[in-house]
């Protein structure tokens, strides 16, 4: 399948995002049982995970976009 690698990278990022959401929900459920310091650490970790994931998704999307664009350019040049 064309663009298989790029699509798999985006799927992996989607799975990681689901994991981050689950982690966030778990922290929220345990909020009554955590100290202030533990909550701050947990939220910092979730925030870092989400930032890293956002950067990865943006890079994966850009890679997919460029791959499709570069594969499409020879066709456009041939039509002229």
């Amino acid at each position: 399948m064309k663009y298989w690698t790029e699509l798999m990278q985006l799927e992996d990022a989607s799975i990681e995002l689901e994991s981050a959401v689950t982690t966030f929900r778990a922290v929220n459920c345990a909020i009554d049982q955590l100290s202030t310091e533990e909550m701050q650490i947990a939220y910092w970790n979730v925030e870092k995970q989400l930032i890293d994931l956002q950067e990865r998704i943006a890079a994966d999307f850009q890679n997919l976009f460029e791959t499709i664009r570069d594969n499409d350019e020879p066709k456009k040049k041939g039509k002229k």
Side-chain angles (χ1 to χ4, degrees):
M1 179 200 307
K2 203 172 191 180
Y3 313 120
W4 177 259
T5 301
E6 293 83 359
L7 290 171
M8 292 305 298
Q9 289 172 336
L10 286 171
E11 181 184 36
D12 288 345
S14 176
I15 292 167
E16 285 185 40
L17 179 58
E18 185 177 338
S19 175
V21 169
T22 300
T23 302
F24 181 77
R25 287 180 180 156
V27 169
N28 279 336
C29 287
I31 205 163
D32 295 337
Q33 300 163 0
L34 297 175
S35 70
T36 301
E37 183 180 352
E38 289 171 325
M39 278 191 328
Q40 289 172 339
I41 291 169
Y43 281 125
W44 180 84
N45 283 323
V46 170
E47 180 183 21
K48 183 178 180 338
Q49 186 179 11
L50 289 171
I51 289 169
D52 290 346
L53 187 53
Q54 186 273 328
E55 290 170 355
R56 179 177 166 201
I57 290 171
D60 288 349
F61 175 81
Q62 188 63 34
N63 182 42
L64 178 59
F65 178 83
E66 289 172 4
T67 300
I68 291 170
R69 181 197 63 206
D70 294 347
N71 284 341
D72 196 36
E73 282 181 1
K75 293 175 189 174
K76 289 181 181 178
K77 288 179 183 176
K79 289 182 180 179
K80 288 183 178 180

